[in-house]
Amino acid sequence: MTVTLAEKIEIAIVDDHPMVVEGLKTLLKKEKNIVTHSFTNGANLISFLQNNEVDVVLLDIVLPDVNGIEVCKEIKTMASRTVVLALSNQAERSIILQMLQNGASGYLLKNVSADELLQCIEEAQKGGIAFSKEVKAIMAKPSQYDLQAVPSLTKREKEILKMIAGGKTSQQIADTLFLSLFTVETHRRNLLHKAGVKNVAELIKIATDYRLL
């Protein structure tokens, strides 16, 4: 089945692999109603969106300058009506959930067919949540983290989390960041509480699963 988009739309492709970008541009140019823009990193896209509008962003997760999950959040802050669809090789359920929580309207794996891609774009533009077939299968599988929201961490908490994961003691962290031992211990307890875990090993596992490190 061939899908044809009825209305003219502008689509931004964000991916640092030239072959992926050119392949998508070639595919989308077959649709007379589509205008494409391409970017190899998140910063260039955000700069473009400050003075221009697009209808849809096809966004890779792994970019050379910033995580696509953070880019998605920034896009939705700047332009809430812009539809963001993740287009990635990352098939982890936790990443899919993070993208949705940051405002994405869908998630597609890069092996998606041309018709399926256009169907998902159309579905997302109509206000739906669009998944490629393989992502639907991933989302159908139960996960121990389904009912647990991704912990929202402050900049300082993220900094301390990375140092904990690096094996530093509370005293070493305090010395490095010029904080009191009491302050670091407080941050450590807050991290455990936010993650809903009892020890550092579990904290690091959840942080890894949710790509917080």
Side-chain angles (χ1 to χ4, degrees):
M1 181 179 70
T2 300
V3 178
T4 300
L5 299 175
E7 298 180 1
K8 180 180 178 180
I9 63 172
E10 295 202 22
I11 297 179
I13 302 166
V14 191
D15 197 297
D16 64 332
H17 292 90
M19 288 184 65
V20 173
V21 173
E22 291 306 314
L24 285 169
K25 286 170 68 175
T26 300
L27 185 158
L28 294 172
K29 280 180 180 177
K30 294 178 181 178
E31 296 290 322
K32 62 181 180 180
N33 293 331
I34 292 179
V35 176
T36 60
H37 308 272
S38 60
F39 306 89
T40 57
N41 58 57
N44 287 346
L45 169 71
I46 296 302
S47 178
F48 178 81
L49 292 179
Q50 289 174 351
N51 299 301
N52 302 274
E53 293 184 4
V54 297
D55 300 294
V56 178
V57 176
L58 298 178
L59 179 63
D60 194 5
I61 303 298
V62 180
L63 297 171
D65 59 337
V66 66
N67 190 308
I69 296 170
E70 294 301 319
V71 176
C72 177
K73 186 176 182 179
E74 191 163 354
I75 292 170
K76 298 304 290 186
T77 299
M78 296 174 61
S80 60
R81 293 184 181 179
T82 297
V83 170
V84 179
L85 290 174
L87 185 59
S88 175
N89 285 323
Q90 303 294 313
E92 290 88 347
R93 185 187 180 89
S94 60
I95 295 177
I96 297 169
L97 290 172
Q98 285 184 75
M99 281 297 291
L100 296 179
Q101 288 168 350
N102 276 5
S105 296
Y107 200 105
L108 322 175
L109 294 186
K110 286 185 177 178
N111 61 359
V112 65
S113 69
D115 279 353
E116 195 174 5
L117 172 61
L118 294 173
Q119 285 173 351
C120 286
I121 290 173
E122 186 174 33
E123 184 178 349
Q125 278 209 295
K126 290 179 179 178
I129 298 296
F131 294 138
S132 62
K133 291 179 182 178
E134 289 192 23
V135 173
K136 287 178 181 177
I138 293 168
M139 296 304 289
K141 296 177 183 177
S143 168
Q144 61 176 314
Y145 300 120
D146 279 356
L147 301 178
Q148 181 175 325
V150 178
S152 177
L153 306 182
T154 65
K155 183 177 180 180
R156 178 65 83 186
E157 285 172 342
K158 289 179 181 178
E159 192 174 20
I160 290 175
L161 175 59
K162 288 179 180 179
M163 297 179 80
I164 291 173
K168 291 188 178 294
T169 65
S170 292
Q171 187 61 62
Q172 289 172 325
I173 295 171
D175 293 342
T176 301
L177 299 179
F178 302 103
L179 299 172
S180 70
L181 181 60
F182 175 79
T183 297
V184 173
E185 288 291 348
T186 299
H187 281 303
R188 184 186 286 262
R189 285 194 297 272
N190 287 343
L191 284 166
L192 292 173
H193 176 72
K194 285 185 176 183
V197 297
K198 297 179 180 179
N199 57 55
V200 170
E202 291 178 347
L203 173 64
I204 293 174
K205 184 180 187 308
I206 283 188
T208 301
D209 287 342
Y210 283 125
R211 297 295 178 95
L212 296 173
L213 293 174

